[in-house]
Structures are given as C-alpha cells and as structure tokens.
C-alpha cells in the first residue's frame, strides 16, 4: 500500500479521539517544570478534539496539499524540544532571566496597553489564575514582545516545526500564563503553536465564520457564558494541546486560547 493511502486513514482515525488517548505513556503525568500552582485553580474541561492529528509520517507535500491553506492540524513527533523544555523550567528561567524586563500586553482582542516588569516580578506577583469577572483590558498577559537579543541563548535551543510555507520565514513568540488565562478571538497570518509545559485549549473558526464574542471579554468568560449555548453548527473546531504537541493554523483563521493550568508555550508566526 502506498504511504499516501496510509496517512489519510491515520489522521481520520485520530480526529475524534480525546487527546489523552494519544499521549505516550507517562506524558500525562510529566513534570510541570515547577510551574504548577495549586491544582484547585486548574481547569478540568478539555472539551472534544475534532482537529486532525498526524505524526512525522505526514510528508511535506501532504501537509501543503491537505492543511497549509485549508484547515488546522496537530503535529506530533516532528521535533524534539526536550532540551528547550528543561531550560524553560521555572528555576532555570528565574536563574537566567529573573532580572530581565519582560513586556506584558492586555489580553483583549485589540491590545494597546503594554507594561514592562522584571521577569521575577511577573512570576511572583502577576502569574496567577484568571478572575472570571476581569476584563481583557485589565488582564496582563506575557506573550510576544520578547527581547530576542537578551533571550537569544534560550531561543537558539528551540527547534521549530519543520514544515514551512513557500516564501515565508518564522518569527517566535514566547509566553507563560496562569490557569484560565488566554487570548480572545482574533486572526492574523498562518503559524504554529507548541506547548512546552501545561495544557492549552484551542478554539478555531474558518475565515468566513466570525465567532460571536465581546472583544474585551476573556476567553474564560466566553467559555463560561457563550460556548455552552452554541448550536452544533456554530461550535468551534477545537482541541487541548499537551507538551510536545504543535498546532498549525492557516492564514486568517479565527482562534482563541484557554490555558487549563500554568502553561509555557511558543508560537512560530509565518510571514
């Protein structure tokens, strides 16, 4: 049987399985890198997983034909970022970058306010669970706006996904966020997002189906108040990612994220 005939079957078989069913032995109880907070703050609802999941047997040509310009896909086993993961433990990052300034952004759809704080202050004072009644404009989120000169030695150890779109290059965005935090619905160009520690739930809609949301309400608020009442035809494409899993999303796809526990993550934006 040709490999092209095997891959579609593999991806189709995985599409409706919960993510926990596909994790390697022991991954579910993997070390949190010191980032875990009190478990009572973690969110337990991982939702369904209705995104195709493929492994490294997916060829580049198959990725381009089936996913690059048409729909999201979760990739497993394409890169090995265990060294980067170790460097991103709480103890290691505080040791190496505790005094470095990091830029935080408000977690609303149209972010304007930026705040610079020492990384250690962010970890010790601001890295906390999301309050359900807080607005996005009052929620500071550490993602993007990274100082790649000061943090170069860390990012040099990251191994990005191997599939690139023609005529594009990748730009990294690194983040750390507490339980219940996330970015509300927005869109931009294509890209990847990999979870290093923790669990992150993704919600996506195609470009022609704008979701109903308030641009200054948090994803947690949307999940609590809007998501449960959505009819089947208005439900998002979604899945919860774990460490080592990479989500690819095409150009102009609406997406929002919800960190189920304290998460460390890297996105690679293709432009």
């Amino acid at each position: 049987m040709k490999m092209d005939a095997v891959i579609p079957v593999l991806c189709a078989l995985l599409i409706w399985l919960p993510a926990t069913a596909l994790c390697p032995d022991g991954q579910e109880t993997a070390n949190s890198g010191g980032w875990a907070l009190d478990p009572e703050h973690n969110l337990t609802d991982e939702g369904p997983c209705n995104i195709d999941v493929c492994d490294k047997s997916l060829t580049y040509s198959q990725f381009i034909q089936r996913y690059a310009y048409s729909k999201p896909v979760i990739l497993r086993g394409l890169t090995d970022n265990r060294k980067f993961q170790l460097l991103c433990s709480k103890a290691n990052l505080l040791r190496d970058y505790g005094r470095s300034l990091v830029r935080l952004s408000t977690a609303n759809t149209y972010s304007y306010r930026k705040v610079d704080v020492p990384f250690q202050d962010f970890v010790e004072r601001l890295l906390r669970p999301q309050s359900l009644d807080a607005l996005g404009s009052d929620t500071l989120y550490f993602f993007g706006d990274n100082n790649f000169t000061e943090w170069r030695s860390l990012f040099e150890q990251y191994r990005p996904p191997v599939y690139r779109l023609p005529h594009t290059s990748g730009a990294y965005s690194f983040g750390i966020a507490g339980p219940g935090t996330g970015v509300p619905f927005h869109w931009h160009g294509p890209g990847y997002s990999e979870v290093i520690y923790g669990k992150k739930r993704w919600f996506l809609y195609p470009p022609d189906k704008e979701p109903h949301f308030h641009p200054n309400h948090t994803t947690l608020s949307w999940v609590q108040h809007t998501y449960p009442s959505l009819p089947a035809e208005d439900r998002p494409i979604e899945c919860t990612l774990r460490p080592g899993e990479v989500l690819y999303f095409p150009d102009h796809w609406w997406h929002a994220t919800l960190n189920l526990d304290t998460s460390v993550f890297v996105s690679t934006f293709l432009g």
Side-chain angles (χ1 to χ4, degrees), residues 134-148:
L135 294 176
S137 57
D138 297 323
T139 303
L140 293 175
Y141 198 69
F142 175 38
F143 177 60
D145 287 318
N146 305 121
N147 186 329
F148 286 95

Side-chain angles (χ1 to χ4, degrees), residues 52-72:
D52 285 6
V53 182
C54 295
D55 61 20
K56 60 184 178 182
S57 59
L58 180 73
T59 68
Y60 176 70
S61 63
Q62 290 165 344
F63 167 76
I64 293 294
Q65 292 169 8
R66 298 169 191 168
Y67 301 108
Y69 306 104
S70 58
K71 63 179 181 178

Side-chain angles (χ1 to χ4, degrees), residues 5-28:
V6 174
I7 296 299
V9 175
L10 172 63
C11 294
L13 285 174
L14 297 182
I15 186 171
W16 291 110
L17 288 176
T20 51
L22 299 168
C23 291
D25 290 343
Q27 184 168 314
E28 185 67 16

Side-chain angles (χ1 to χ4, degrees), residues 72-144:
V73 61
I74 294 171
L75 304 170
R76 288 196 177 119
L78 270 70
T79 54
D80 182 355
N81 275 307
R82 285 175 294 183
K83 181 178 181 181
F84 182 77
Q85 183 189 52
L86 178 62
L87 293 172
C88 289
S89 72
K90 184 177 181 179
N92 285 339
L93 287 184
L94 284 175
R95 179 197 64 204
D96 296 336
Y97 303 103
R99 297 182 180 180
S100 300
L101 289 180
V102 293
R103 177 158 292 180
L104 312 180
S105 303
T106 49
N108 48 352
T109 296
Y110 309 106
S111 294
Y112 296 105
R113 187 163 67 97
K114 309 284 186 180
V115 177
D116 292 338
V117 299
F119 179 66
Q120 184 164 343
D121 285 1
F122 163 73
V123 172
E124 295 178 351
R125 295 192 300 108
L126 301 174
L127 183 62
R128 57 180 184 262
Q130 176 73 53
S131 172
L132 182 59
D133 58 355
L135 294 176
S137 57
D138 297 323
T139 303
L140 293 175
Y141 198 69
F142 175 38
F143 177 60

